[in-house]
Amino acid sequence: MAATVETVDQVRALADDKYKYGFVTDIEADTAPKGLDESTVRFISAKKEEPEWLLEWRLKAYRQWLTMPEPEWAKVDFPPIDYQDAYYFSAPKTTEAPKSLDEVDPELLRTYEKLGIPLREQEMLAGVAVDAVFDSVSVATTFRHKLAEKGVIFCSISEAIKDYPDLVKKYLGSVVPYGDNKHACLNSAVFTDGSFVYIPKGVRCPMELSTYFRINAANTGQFERTLIIADEGSYVSYLEGCTAPMRDENQLHAAVVELIVLDDAEIKYSTVQNWYPGDENGVGGIYNFVTKRGACRGKNSKISWTQVETGSAVTWKYPSCILQGDNSVGEFYSIAITNNMQQADTGTKMIHLGKNTTSRIIAKGISAGKSQSTYRGLVRMGAKAKGARNYTQCDSLLIGDKCGAHTVPYIESRNSSAQIEHEATTSKISEDQLFYCRQRGIGEEDAVALVVNGFCREVLQQLPMEFAVEAQKLVGISLEGSVG
Amino acid sequence: MLEIKNLHADVEGKAILRGIDLTIQPGEVHAIMGPNGSGKSTLAHVISGRDGYDVTEGEVLYRGKNILDMDPEERAGEGVFLAFQYPVEIPGVTNTTFMKEALNSVRKYRGEDELDAMQFMKVIREKTKQLGISNDMLKRAVNVGFSGGEKKRNDILQMAILEPSLAILDETDSGLDIDALKTVADGVNLLRSPENATLVITHYQRLLDYIVPDFVHVLAKGKIVKSGDKSLAQELEKKGYAEFTDQAA
């Protein structure tokens, strides 16, 4: 038996080595060896020609990461992650990119078709090696020109570190400290890419900013770092993700997003997450461990998170708001759909510190198959948050009888003038509803999609128009095969 | 148009329908009356294809096709419509969205082009006008917060839009006051034509004053025990169902 294991290991080692010898040296030069230690962190920082302070920051994060336990309080279950069995910088592709759409998984193409994605974009999403990318370069260029006129900065975080070091140094890690949690800590040590946005005083960003238009986002990477600053009186709407399932070979995704909003400013942040959820047995899906937090630092500032989470095998994600400024507003609108063996533990934290701060939480969880979906949320009213108010509504919808929905609200109030409301419902998609739709001619899967879209309506309405239409279709597609 | 032959159906192993024979021709209105528990609603559900019923014997031919093997949505596509005793609420889905999805699904089944939003709005405006239904009902979520009368009228509107050839009204009069009853009956009468048939299922004779049937059948303990013309309904109103329940037992 030992011999068999040894053989398997040898074969695996050979397979792993394939790129070392099979490719020419320039690839090797851009690749950090497998595994994670201090030299990996130094390698990444050096490759990116970062300033000394950032390297130090990364190293502090790395050292703290070593000492931190895995967060185990979430209602998700997966085998321990082998951090040494991963690449942290330019992981070499173990499979070759498909040369045309003919080589792409037909199931994936069918989904693209249903979502109505143009052919050129399909090629990009499926990772087909074509020059479609050049199209988006020109789009991005026009885009940037228009933004520059208004003084808006929208670039990769790597560029920002070089070009706007003062802004980055001031705000990076100011909302999510490097030691916040194990996953955020890892991200701080090894992040390789992400977005940076700065909206100057009094500017209303002339368009919705989407990672899709940022050329580097074609390969978003596992450890994405996003930093958005809305200066006094400014406004920006930021879209992240894509409704189409993206090809990605990295299993672990640990992103960090930090938002900073000053007086009278607002950030609207919308996400559609559809990473590969694994097969029916949950094999091969992405682990999505995200730390997203925004600070409403100024008076009358506002942050609105909207998320549609349909992908990933395991989702661990709590976009939060720290309401420091008086009269500041935090919102969280969420749809989490789980099917087959997917697990999602998601929710928000609303930390009320300033006077008359208000927050609103609308969370819709849909579970099908054998999946488990948990809403976990914290509402904390600080001692000085006089007159603060929160309204929370959590609705869960179950499809079938093998899935689970859980609601875990934490409420802490330290002052008597605060008002907190919490409503929660759990329902099953009813036989009556399905039969009613079907008797009117609507097929079973379309009927499920219709009922679920109705259930999610309040949240879908929060999405920018173009995203909302795609998200609606996605809701239906995510639940295919969940009935009958 | 509809031919039911020796239909037997069970619910959880219990025989509810025990040999129904019924033939309906285009243009006819048939009423099925009977006491509670006689199998009236079961008959409506078996014809429209609801889950949970085992057909143990017999067949249901609709325009010559046996529809028992079809899914409910296919039967709807074939032109079978069921007005519900309790129309179902679908929160968050507007009536317009629901009816557009339904009409386009049925059109697709029939090999017709789907209607775009503009074309659909034209159809729906025409029908609401014809039936005297207010347009603001369209923007509300399907049956959510509707009064009993509004729900039934909404079902009739759906019927008008889908233009079925066989409409089954399952105790559509239950819980309606006399004014709502009249509105619903007016709608049904408006949609009657020589090509379409209607099957009215009811406990009370009252509805049949407004939707006048060509034939009346008495259902008791899963069988049709007596058939006649509309005078049979009046007779039942006077005498009640006692004689039939005894007879069948």
Side-chain angles (χ1 to χ4, degrees), chain A residues 430-433 435-444 446-447 450-451 453-455 457, chain B residues 48 50 71-73 76 80-82 84 88-89 91-93 98 101-102 105 143 155 158:
Chain A
S430 80
E431 197 73 28
D432 284 344
Q433 283 174 325
F435 178 63
Y436 193 66
C437 295
R438 294 178 76 187
Q439 210 299 309
R440 297 298 180 254
I442 302 168
E444 195 169 22
D446 290 339
L450 191 72
V451 172
N453 266 309
F455 174 77
R457 193 170 139 95
Chain B
S48 54
R50 182 163 198 156
D71 283 332
E73 56 269 30
V80 176
F81 182 92
L82 175 66
F84 284 59
V88 180
E89 298 183 4
V93 178
F98 180 71
E101 180 110 4
S105 301
N143 295 325
D155 255 21
Q158 291 173 22

Side-chain angles (χ1 to χ4, degrees), chain A residues 82-149:
Chain A
D82 184 356
Y83 292 100
Q84 299 307 331
D85 188 34
Y87 293 93
Y88 293 85
F89 190 77
S90 288
K93 302 281 179 211
T94 48
T95 52
E96 282 183 42
K99 285 182 187 64
S100 75
L101 282 177
D102 298 338
E103 294 178 21
V104 175
D105 181 4
E107 194 62 24
L108 197 64
L109 293 180
R110 206 175 58 93
T111 308
Y112 288 161
E113 208 163 282
K114 282 187 181 167
L115 285 166
I117 293 168
L119 202 67
R120 261 342 215 352
E121 289 179 32
Q122 290 188 19
E123 289 177 330
M124 234 174 95
L125 292 164
V128 174
V130 289
D131 57 7
V133 177
F134 292 112
D135 287 354
S136 61
V137 170
S138 57
V139 171
T141 314
T142 347
F143 221 62
R144 275 196 178 185
H145 190 70
K146 222 168 147 187
L147 291 173
E149 276 175 15

Side-chain angles (χ1 to χ4, degrees), chain A residues 271-285:
Chain A
T271 306
V272 173
Q273 185 266 115
N274 190 19
W275 295 107
Y276 183 54
D279 64 14
E280 276 169 37
N281 302 311
V283 175

Side-chain angles (χ1 to χ4, degrees), chain B residues 141-211:
Chain B
V142 180
N143 295 325
V144 177
F146 282 35
S147 69
E150 282 177 321
K151 285 184 182 174
K152 300 296 166 78
R153 263 186 292 160
N154 198 21
D155 255 21
I156 300 304
L157 175 61
Q158 291 173 22
M159 182 169 137
I161 284 169
L162 296 177
E163 301 180 324
S165 41
L166 173 67
I168 305 165
L169 312 180
D170 182 13
E171 308 221 20
T172 208
D173 51 335
S174 68
L176 291 192
D177 61 35
I178 196 74
D179 292 326
L181 190 72
K182 273 187 200 163
T183 327
V184 168
D186 286 349
V188 173
N189 289 328
L190 209 62
L191 301 171
R192 278 174 74 169
S193 83
E195 291 82 43
N196 300 341
T198 311
L199 180 60
V200 184
I201 290 172
T202 182
H203 185 82
Y204 301 104
Q205 187 265 340
R206 173 175 88 142
L207 177 65
L208 304 180
D209 288 340
Y210 302 99
I211 304 173

